[in-house]
Amino acid sequence: MAEGQRRLVAVSNRVGPLNDEGKAGGLAVGLSDALRRRGGLWFGWSGETSDEGTFKDAQTQVHGDVSMTTIDMTEEELEGFYYGYANRSLWPLLHYRLDLAQFDRQSERAYRSVNQRFAARLAPLVTDDDLVWVHDYHFFFLGSELRQCGFKGKIGFFLHIPFCPPEIFTALPASHDLVRAMLAYDVVGFQTDTDRRNFLAFCVRELGGEKLEGHRIKVGDRVVRADTFPIGIDAPGFERFAVSPEASEHEEMVREMVGDRLQIVGVDRMDYSKGLVERFRGFERLLEDYPENRGKVQFLQVAPLSRSELDAYVELRSELEELAGHINGRFATLDWTPIQIMTRGFNRRALAGIYRAARVCLVTPLRDGMNLVAKEFVAAQDPDDPGVLLLSRFAGARAELPDAVIVNPYSTDDVARALQQALTMPFDERNRRWKAMRAAVFAGTSSNWCDTFLGALENSEER
C-alpha cells in the first residue's frame, strides 16, 4: 500500500478469485485488480452453509497484501436472504419486472438480518481510516448497519444492476427504509445516468430530498454523492485471451462447425432479464423475412444455468428449449441446424475464441445494468476481420458503444432487420464501427472504474 493511502475493504456477496485465470466475472476482475494494487481486505460469503451460519468462525486466506475473509450462512439465511429477498424481490423489481417480483415479510427480515450480521462480523476488522466499498443489491442495508456498529469512516456503494424508476420501486414494501439505508453511504454509484436519475427522483419525490451541485443529494441532514461510474473490463487482458492457445482452439472448433456459414453468437446467463426468448423469435423472423439466410447462417446461444431453484428460471429454460426445437423443426435441413443452445458454461479464454469466430454477437437484454459481454466481444475481435455487435437500447453499455447496431429487443421485426444489416454489412463499415467501440472499451477499463470510484470516495466530504 502506497504511503498515506487508505486501506481498501471490499464487500461483495462472493469473494474472489484474486487472480483472473479466465473464470472471474466483471465484479471480481475489477476488485481483484484494485486489491492487488492497493492491498486490503475482501469480505463476503464463503459460498457454504453451516449450522452456525453467520456466527461461525470466519475463514481468512492471505495472498501477499490482500486478506480474503469469508463467513457462512445457515440454510435458512441463504433461502430468505439470497433466494428470497435478493432474487425473488429485488432482482425482478430492479429489472423493471414487477410482474415477477414477490414480497413477503419473512424474506425481508432474513435479508435485513444477514446485512446486520455481515456488518457485525466486519466491524472488528476495519478502522475509521479504511475505505469500505460495498457491492450490489445483496447489501443495500450493510452500510447503515456498519454505522450502527460505530464505524465513522468512508463507505461507498456500487449497484451493478439497474435502479428502476420510483413508480416501480415504490411497490417494494420497504422501499423507503431501503433508500434511507443507502444514505448511510458517502458515495452511491450507478452504471448509467438513467439509474442515477431514478435514484435521485425517488429521494426527491418520496423522501423530500433536495438535489445539490456536484451530483449530491441532501435528505434530512445527510448529503450523499450519487454518481455514474460505468464498469469496464480488463480490455488488454481480454485481448490477450483472444489469441491464447485455448481461445484459438475454440475459435477453430466453431469455424469447423460452421464451415462457410456466418456465425451468430449470444452469451448470457439463463435469466429472464437477458431477452433470450425475444432474441430467438427475432432470429426466427430473420429466417422468415430474409429467406436468403437459410442454410447460410447459424446461431449459437451459450446460456449457462443460474438460480435453478427458482420457478421463473425453470420455466424460462423450458420455454427456450421448446422454442429452439420449434425453429429447428421449421427450418432445419439434413445438413443444417439453424440454432444451437448450450446450457454449460465456458471460461473467458474459451469465450474469447468463440467471440472471435462470430460475425455477429447478439446482446439484447430487456434491461441490464451494463452487460460486459458486449465489451468482451469488442476486445476479442480480429482487427483484420471484425464482427458486428448488435446491442439492446436497454443495456447500460449502449451509452459507451453507440457504434453498435442498436435494437429494441421487444420488437421481433427490429431484431430481424438489425441481424440482416449486421450479416450484410461491408468490411469498411464493420471496421469503422469496431475501431470506435474498441477505443471506448480500452478507455473505460475495470481499473479506470475502480480508480474513479475510489477517488470520488476518498474525496467525499468528511462525516
Side-chain angles (χ1 to χ4, degrees), residues 234-356:
D234 174 9
F238 204 84
E239 188 176 57
R240 290 192 295 272
F241 279 177
V243 293
S244 66
E246 187 173 0
S248 298
E249 179 184 353
H250 282 78
E251 180 184 359
E252 184 62 29
M253 284 191 289
V254 172
R255 294 192 185 281
E256 288 180 1
M257 174 185 72
V258 175
D260 59 358
R261 301 184 178 99
L262 296 180
Q263 177 72 59
I264 302 168
V265 67
V267 177
D268 310 82
R269 284 188 308 104
M270 183 77 74
D271 192 283
Y272 50 75
S273 69
K274 302 301 182 182
L276 298 178
V277 170
E278 292 77 7
R279 184 182 306 174
F280 280 27
R281 289 176 177 154
F283 178 71
E284 182 180 21
R285 184 63 53 83
L286 172 79
L287 300 181
E288 290 174 350
D289 290 357
Y290 304 93
E292 64 270 25
N293 290 300
R294 298 176 190 177
K296 303 297 184 182
V297 301
Q298 193 156 354
F299 178 23
L300 169 64
Q301 177 63 55
V302 178
L305 300 179
S306 71
R307 302 170 189 154
S308 301
E309 297 82 358
L310 304 181
D311 291 343
Y313 292 80
V314 175
E315 293 166 6
L316 174 62
R317 179 182 183 182
S318 177
E319 184 176 7
L320 277 178
E321 291 176 343
E322 182 178 342
L323 186 54
H326 162 75
I327 294 169
N328 286 334
R330 281 191 67 188
F331 296 105
T333 61
L334 288 176
D335 63 346
W336 174 61
T337 302
I339 190 166
Q340 181 181 9
I341 182 170
M342 302 181 68
T343 56
R344 55 159 290 196
F346 294 88
N347 68 39
R348 294 170 68 244
R349 284 191 178 86
L351 285 176
I354 294 171
Y355 293 142
R356 200 172 173 90

Side-chain angles (χ1 to χ4, degrees), residues 28-277:
V29 170
L31 286 185
S32 61
D33 175 69
L35 284 162
R36 285 197 306 271
R37 286 186 288 123
R38 298 175 64 109
L41 169 66
W42 197 346
F43 181 86
W45 178 41
S46 65
E48 303 291 335
T49 58
S50 62
D51 292 340
E52 302 94 330
T54 53
F55 289 89
K56 186 178 179 181
D57 289 344
Q59 306 165 52
T60 299
Q61 297 180 351
V62 178
H63 302 270
D65 293 333
V66 181
S67 297
M68 303 171 69
T69 298
T70 59
I71 59 174
D72 291 353
M73 283 189 262
T74 65
E75 289 285 353
E76 293 76 16
E77 287 171 331
L78 181 64
E79 176 61 34
F81 159 77
Y82 182 76
Y83 292 116
Y85 202 69
N87 288 305
R88 288 193 179 98
S89 300
L90 295 176
W91 177 272
L93 184 76
L94 291 166
H95 284 88
Y96 296 54
R97 291 301 303 271
L98 187 52
D99 59 313
L100 295 177
Q102 302 173 25
F103 309 121
D104 67 86
R105 287 190 299 176
Q106 186 174 353
S107 64
E108 180 191 326
R109 287 169 179 166
Y111 180 89
R112 293 194 189 209
S113 174
V114 167
N115 272 247
Q116 189 278 325
R117 288 295 308 146
F118 271 62
R121 299 301 303 275
L122 176 62
L125 307 179
V126 296
T127 73
D128 290 345
D129 291 329
D130 291 332
L131 280 183
V132 179
W133 192 7
V134 180
H135 288 265
D136 226 3
Y137 64 106
H138 310 90
F139 294 123
F140 281 119
F141 286 91
L142 192 141
S144 177
E145 294 292 347
L146 195 57
R147 299 290 186 206
Q148 294 294 318
C149 293
F151 183 76
K152 295 181 174 59
K154 295 185 177 184
I155 317 178
F157 176 84
F158 187 80
L159 182 64
H160 290 258
I161 67 175
F163 194 92
C164 61
E167 293 80 5
I168 297 174
F169 196 69
T170 49
L172 183 72
S175 60
H176 282 220
D177 289 349
L178 188 150
V179 174
R180 287 191 185 279
M182 292 176 70
L183 299 173
Y185 296 106
D186 298 291
V187 177
V188 178
F190 301 93
Q191 298 276 25
T192 69
D193 286 336
T194 298
D195 302 323
R196 177 183 57 82
R197 286 193 296 266
N198 287 339
F199 173 77
L200 294 177
F202 187 97
C203 290
V204 171
R205 296 180 202 173
E206 297 293 324
L207 303 181
E210 175 189 1
K211 294 181 186 178
L212 304 177
E213 293 181 352
H215 300 285
R216 295 176 302 154
I217 183 77
K218 181 178 182 181
V219 180
D221 62 351
R222 283 293 294 137
V223 175
V224 175
R225 177 174 173 181
D227 213 339
T228 304
F229 304 90
I231 192 172
I233 64 170
D234 174 9
F238 204 84
E239 188 176 57
R240 290 192 295 272
F241 279 177
V243 293
S244 66
E246 187 173 0
S248 298
E249 179 184 353
H250 282 78
E251 180 184 359
E252 184 62 29
M253 284 191 289
V254 172
R255 294 192 185 281
E256 288 180 1
M257 174 185 72
V258 175
D260 59 358
R261 301 184 178 99
L262 296 180
Q263 177 72 59
I264 302 168
V265 67
V267 177
D268 310 82
R269 284 188 308 104
M270 183 77 74
D271 192 283
Y272 50 75
S273 69
K274 302 301 182 182
L276 298 178
V277 170

